[in-house]
């Protein structure tokens, strides 16, 4: 395809839905729809928000006179199906079904795939997702824990992580698949991953209690103390899960996830706010150091990204911890919309085949290894 590719990109998040139109890699239009908590709290499940968010997306489209029939493909932020390799996936019936179920996570990103498919069916065009949150490229070593029935899973900001890896590789005239990178996405959640020749072979779990604490998440907790807390009678299961995944980290310590607010308190002399923020930065650096070990010290670049990468003081502190490992590049914010568009463009222009979702997880356990060798 040599003509200009026209795309509609839809990215639902926890409190917003972003809509953009691209002509090739040029963004012509973008609007962010903000959702107040009272609007979302009326829905018991993520999927219950589908009609509500779709109607708001259509309102943006109609107000801005976007011609949906002229769009070549619809691209949604991928949701949580079975664990899969990275890539650009056509939204098949099976992928749609598994995303609706939320095989690994119930997250608003599950709606991106569904909204894209609604428009694709209406106008007989393809729909795609790109590097969804369920991308799992872990090495076997990264999966093992000290319990034989508990394994580590990949829950990473895969879309922005890989987009930053590609962006850096292009900036130096290299292929992402030729580089060893440590990439830290620092936002409401934090994921720090080791990228070995284009694969995210290890990372902390950005959601389920692993790695550094984040503005809204607890990170790793002392396991036996957590067990005691679970059986203390002070917390219901759902309350404790919410505390770990949505109200932990800075929110639990300081009552806010807003780094600007935390910085304001520090400027006013709040010593505890200073300690907690320093501890979060320390934990991010410590996790990045662990990823350097995963890569055996052969690290081409460290990349810091996400909304918190806009904070010069935070970046200065992290640089002080990490610059002995490798040079550091900072990509503030996230590049999710551009990453979604570029993935679809590569497929539509024949530069990359669309991956086929099999419905089978990329990793199915180690039972075969436990069998005796003949």
């Amino acid at each position: 395809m040599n003509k200009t590719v026209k795309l509609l990109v839809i990215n639902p998040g926890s409190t917003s839905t972003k809509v953009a139109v691209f002509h090739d890699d040029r963004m012509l239009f973008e609007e962010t729809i903000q959702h107040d908590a009272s609007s979302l709290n009326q829905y018991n499940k993520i999927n219950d928000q589908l009609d509500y968010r779709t109607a708001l997306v259509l309102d943006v489209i109609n107000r801005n006179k976007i011609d949906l029939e002229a769009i070549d493909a619809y691209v949604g932020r991928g949701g949580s199906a079975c664990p899969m390799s990275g890539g650009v996936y056509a939204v098949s019936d099976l992928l749609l079904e598994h995303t609706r179920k939320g095989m690994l996570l119930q997250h608003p990103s599950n709606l991106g795939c569904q909204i894209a498919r609604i428009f694709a069916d209406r106008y007989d065009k393809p729909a795609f997702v790109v590097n969804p949150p369920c991308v799992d490229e872990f090495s076997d070593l990264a999966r093992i824990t000290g319990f034989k029935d508990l394994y580590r899973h990949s829950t990473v900001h895969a879309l922005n992580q890989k987009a930053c890896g590609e962006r850096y590789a292009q900036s130096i005239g290299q292929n992402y698949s030729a580089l060893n990178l440590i990439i830290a996405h620092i936002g409401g959640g934090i994921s720090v991953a080791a990228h070995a020749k284009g694969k995210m072979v290890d990372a902390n779990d950005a959601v389920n209690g692993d790695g550094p604490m984040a503005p809204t998440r607890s990170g790793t907790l002392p396991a036996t103390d957590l067990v005691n807390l679970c059986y203390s009678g002070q917390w219901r299961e759902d309350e404790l899960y919410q505390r770990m995944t949505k109200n932990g980290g800075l929110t639990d310590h300081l009552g806010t996830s807003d780094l600007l607010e935390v910085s304001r308190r520090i400027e006013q002399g709040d010593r505890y706010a200073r300690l907690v923020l320093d501890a979060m930065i320390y934990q991010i650096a410590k996790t990045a150091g662990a990823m350097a070990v995963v890569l055996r010290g052969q690290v081409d670049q460290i990349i810091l990204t996400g909304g918190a990468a806009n904070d010069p003081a935070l970046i200065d502190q992290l640089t002080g911890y990490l610059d002995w490992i490798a040079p550091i590049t900072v990509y503030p914010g996230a590049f999710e919309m551009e990453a979604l568009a570029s993935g679809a463009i590569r497929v539509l222009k024949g530069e990359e085949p669309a991956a086929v979702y099999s419905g089978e997880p990329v990793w199915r356990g180690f039972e075969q290894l436990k069998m005796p060798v003949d």
Side-chain angles (χ1 to χ4, degrees):
M1 179 184 287
N2 294 319
K3 70 165 190 171
T4 299
V5 172
K6 300 175 182 178
L7 303 170
L8 181 74
V9 178
I10 306 131
N11 183 356
S14 298
T15 59
S16 68
T17 301
K18 294 181 181 179
V19 183
V21 173
F22 284 80
H23 284 189
D24 285 343
D25 58 1
R26 185 164 59 99
M27 184 189 291
L28 298 185
F29 166 85
E30 182 180 29
E31 183 168 325
T32 299
I33 307 164
Q34 297 292 344
H35 309 297
D36 61 64
S38 60
S39 297
L40 297 182
N41 286 342
Q42 63 183 306
Y43 301 104
N44 292 326
K45 299 178 180 178
I46 293 296
N47 280 345
D48 295 341
Q49 300 176 20
L50 180 61
D51 290 344
Y52 164 74
R53 296 216 196 199
T54 303
L56 291 175
V57 171
L58 277 170
D59 179 64
V60 168
I61 288 166
N62 292 332
R63 280 192 290 102
N64 291 279
K65 297 180 171 54
I66 297 168
D67 182 3
L68 288 178
E69 291 191 60
I71 297 295
D72 295 304
Y74 304 91
V75 193
R77 183 179 175 193
S80 183
C82 284
M84 61 179 74
S85 299
V88 183
Y89 288 81
V91 182
S92 64
D93 291 344
L94 183 61
L95 178 55
L96 185 66
E97 176 190 346
H98 283 188
T99 302
R100 283 174 178 153
K101 291 178 179 177
M103 304 292 277
L104 290 179
L105 291 171
Q106 292 296 329
H107 188 273
S109 63
N110 291 356
L111 300 172
C113 168
Q114 298 181 61
I115 297 172
R117 179 63 185 266
I118 288 170
F119 293 138
D121 286 347
R122 183 176 299 174
Y123 295 101
D124 194 26
K125 301 288 177 64
F128 298 104
V129 297
V130 182
N131 289 323
C134 51
V135 167
D136 187 338
E137 299 171 336
F138 270 16
S139 70
D140 285 347
L141 287 175
R143 300 188 189 280
I144 297 290
T145 75
F147 276 11
K148 65 180 181 181
D149 50 351
L150 293 182
Y151 296 98
R152 298 180 66 245
H153 299 277
S154 176
T155 309
V156 182
H157 298 90
L159 182 60
N160 192 49
Q161 287 252 354
K162 284 183 169 283
C164 288
E166 294 276 6
R167 176 175 290 231
Y168 173 72
Q170 291 173 8
S171 75
I172 62 169
Q174 282 274 12
N175 291 321
Y176 166 58
S177 59
L179 299 174
N180 285 342
L181 307 170
I182 297 170
I183 303 181
H185 177 106
I186 312 168
I190 295 172
S191 60
V192 185
H195 295 242
K197 312 300 183 188
K199 300 291 185 184
M200 297 187 300
V201 296
D202 201 348
N204 69 290
D205 187 320
V207 176
N208 295 309
D210 180 41
M213 68 173 168
T216 61
R217 293 164 191 168
S218 69
T220 300
L221 298 169
T224 53
D225 289 343
L226 179 59
V227 170
N228 292 335
L229 196 61
C230 290
Y231 287 93
S232 68
Q234 299 177 49
W235 300 86
R236 297 195 313 268
E237 179 183 355
D238 61 321
E239 291 174 335
L240 201 52
Y241 188 79
Q242 287 284 105
R243 186 180 178 190
M244 291 174 63
T245 62
K246 293 186 177 180
N247 300 311
L250 299 187
T251 302
D252 193 67
H253 281 283
L254 304 174
T256 181
S257 62
D258 186 343
L259 285 172
L260 292 176
E261 168 64 15
V262 175
S263 296
R264 184 186 65 79
R265 293 185 193 179
I266 291 170
E267 289 171 1
Q268 294 176 349
D270 189 329
R271 293 180 296 168
Y272 187 63
R274 174 80 273 169
L275 174 64
V276 172
L277 181 60
D278 285 350
M280 186 184 82
I281 294 168
Y282 171 83
Q283 292 172 17
I284 295 168
K286 188 165 67 169
T287 307
M291 295 304 130
V293 172
V294 170
L295 297 172
R296 299 176 181 267
Q298 302 300 306
V299 183
D300 295 301
Q301 196 79 4
I302 296 172
I303 298 171
L304 306 176
T305 184
N310 285 292
D311 183 340
L314 182 147
I315 294 300
D316 284 347
Q317 278 187 262
L318 279 174
T319 299
Y321 279 118
L322 298 173
D323 61 359
W324 62 274
I325 297 173
I328 295 172
T329 295
V330 181
Y331 291 136
F335 303 91
E336 293 175 340
M337 304 302 277
E338 294 88 346
L340 290 167
S342 64
I345 290 166
R346 291 195 302 272
V347 169
L348 291 173
K349 294 201 170 186
E351 298 168 5
E352 175 181 330
V356 178
Y357 176 69
S358 68
E360 297 291 331
V362 292
W363 176 76
R364 302 182 65 86
F366 294 123
E367 294 308 312
Q368 189 172 0
L369 292 180
K370 297 176 184 179
M371 297 173 64
V373 178
D374 294 335

